[in-house]
């Protein structure tokens, strides 16, 4: 996300797999014609001294360096297994340095040993964004919906959702993948949230409903397959009060699909 520079509070090897994800995300952006930008991948590079004596000082040094050289709006600090085992107090380290940097610093306790469920990472990261970055809405935009979508979201599916939503007169904000920090702050201004992936999207819709009362349709959990797609279109239409138009679109889309499937049956 533009304007965000995460710091892995870790030995150097921990964030290397993010390079792979970054290249994958760039490939998706290129296919969709989206602007490409370099994702900065920073580690505190903990060594034997920090593992034995603690790495809070090292973390503060890296935060100051990142703020000075990259000038981000947001610095998430991800605590990994090694400092988590040692017991580094990243919350206090961040609190003691926050007034010395311009960026907002968010601590994340996401050590791998904290959970056996990989989806817990989504829950932790989204909670921090909803409760520490998003702001109370100044207004509501009746034609705008948020759609949480991970970096693995397939571009052809995004384009297809846009095609259907355009027919309904709905604008989509894809969080956080195609969003800025300002988009995150203003996310509660949307009239509703829609799911694309239940595993990734549920923390977004649940926490936003809890904090801001943003509605979401629980009957539309994903977009895959004819039945789910039909539920999704009807739910999107209901969220903006266009049920009749939604039914019309569902009928037209199913008729068009039937024409394309008939020769294959």
């Amino acid at each position: 996300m533009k304007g965000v520079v995460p710091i892995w509070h870790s030995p150097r090897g921990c964030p290397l797999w993010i390079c792979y994800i970054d290249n994958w995300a760039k490939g998706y952006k290129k296919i969709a014609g989206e602007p490409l930008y370099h994702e900065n991948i920073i580690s505190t590079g903990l060594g034997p001294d920090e593992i034995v004596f603690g790495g809070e000082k090292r973390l503060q040094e890296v935060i100051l360096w990142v703020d000075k050289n990259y000038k981000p709006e947001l610095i998430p600090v991800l605590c990994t297994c090694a400092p988590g085992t040692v017991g580094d107090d990243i919350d206090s380290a961040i609190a003691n340095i926050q007034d010395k940097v311009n960026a907002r610093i968010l601590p994340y306790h996401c050590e791998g040993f904290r959970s056996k469920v990989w989806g817990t990472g989504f829950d932790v990261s989204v909670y921090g964004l909803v409760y520490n970055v998003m702001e109370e809405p100044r207004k509501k935009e009746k034609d705008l919906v948020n759609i949480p979508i991970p970096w693995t979201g397939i571009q052809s599916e995004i384009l297809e959702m846009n095609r259907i939503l355009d027919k309904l007169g709905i604008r989509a904000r894809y969080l956080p993948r195609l969003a800025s920090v300002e988009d995150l702050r203003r996310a509660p201004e949307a009239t509703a949230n829609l799911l694309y992936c239940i595993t990734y999207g549920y923390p977004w819709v649940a926490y936003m409903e809890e904090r801001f009362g943003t509605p979401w349709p629980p009957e539309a959990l994903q977009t895959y397959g004819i039945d789910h797609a039909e539920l999704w279109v009807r739910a999107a239409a209901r969220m903006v009060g266009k049920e009749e138009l939604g039914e019309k679109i569902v009928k037209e889309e199913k008729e068009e699909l039937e024409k394309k499937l008939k020769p294959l049956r």
Side-chain angles (χ1 to χ4, degrees):
M1 185 190 301
K2 294 182 72 173
V4 178
V5 177
I7 296 174
W8 275 258
H9 187 41
S10 68
R12 293 179 182 179
C14 294
L16 288 181
W17 67 281
I18 299 297
C19 298
Y20 167 70
I21 294 178
D22 184 35
N23 287 330
W24 192 351
K26 279 186 171 67
Y28 279 140
K29 290 180 179 180
K30 186 174 182 180
I31 292 171
E34 299 166 9
L36 299 181
Y37 53 87
H38 179 66
E39 299 282 359
N40 298 296
I41 300 170
I42 309 294
S43 168
T44 51
L46 302 179
D49 287 347
E50 288 81 19
I51 298 303
V52 174
F53 299 107
E56 291 99 333
K57 182 179 179 182
R58 175 64 178 163
L59 173 60
Q60 291 177 330
E61 292 171 348
V62 173
I63 289 173
L64 290 171
W65 183 86
V66 166
D67 188 67
K68 177 182 178 181
N69 289 277
Y70 293 101
K71 297 178 174 56
E73 296 179 69
L74 195 64
I75 300 177
V77 173
L78 313 177
C79 189
T80 59
C81 297
T85 302
V86 175
D88 277 5
D89 186 359
I90 68 168
D91 296 272
S92 295
I94 289 171
N96 291 333
I97 204 175
Q98 178 63 80
D99 61 352
K100 297 180 182 179
V101 300
N102 294 313
R104 177 75 179 277
I105 313 170
L106 298 182
Y108 283 108
H109 296 274
C110 49
E111 301 90 334
F113 58 76
R114 283 185 175 270
S115 174
K116 295 181 180 179
V117 181
W118 58 270
T120 303
F122 295 153
D123 191 85
V124 170
S125 63
V126 172
Y127 184 91
L129 295 175
V130 172
Y131 278 89
N132 294 293
V133 178
M134 292 185 184
E135 299 175 353
E136 291 293 333
R138 291 168 282 183
K139 60 179 180 179
K140 281 289 185 179
E141 299 192 42
K142 295 182 179 180
D143 65 336
L144 178 65
V145 298
N146 297 315
I147 301 179
I149 191 165
W151 56 270
T152 52
I154 300 173
Q155 293 296 344
S156 60
E157 294 175 351
I158 294 175
L159 296 175
E160 182 66 7
M161 284 189 286
N162 283 341
R163 184 182 70 83
I164 296 295
L165 293 174
D166 283 344
K167 288 187 173 186
L168 286 166
I170 296 175
R171 294 180 295 123
R173 177 191 283 132
Y174 294 97
L175 301 174
R177 175 145 173 239
L178 303 181
S180 64
V181 176
E182 181 62 18
D183 288 331
L184 277 177
R185 292 192 187 104
R186 301 182 61 180
E189 295 180 1
T191 193
N193 290 326
L194 294 176
L195 286 171
Y196 162 81
C197 167
I198 179 62
T199 305
Y200 180 74
Y202 181 74
W204 288 90
V205 300
Y207 288 136
M208 287 187 69
E209 182 181 44
E210 180 180 84
R211 185 180 177 198
F212 302 106
T214 308
W216 62 281
E219 73 274 19
L221 301 180
Q222 58 188 18
T223 58
Y224 310 122
I226 296 174
D227 292 340
H228 284 295
E230 187 174 333
L231 286 172
W232 193 87
V233 174
R234 287 195 170 107
R238 179 169 61 81
M239 290 290 100
V240 295
K242 296 183 179 181
E243 289 89 344
E244 289 188 14
L245 178 57
E247 291 298 329
K248 180 175 180 292
I249 292 172
V250 167
K251 183 174 181 296
E252 292 173 350
E253 292 292 324
K254 290 180 73 173
E255 289 175 352
E256 184 63 25
L257 180 62
E258 182 60 30
K259 292 178 184 178
K260 294 179 179 180
L261 291 178
K262 188 173 182 180
L264 302 176
R265 288 174 171 161

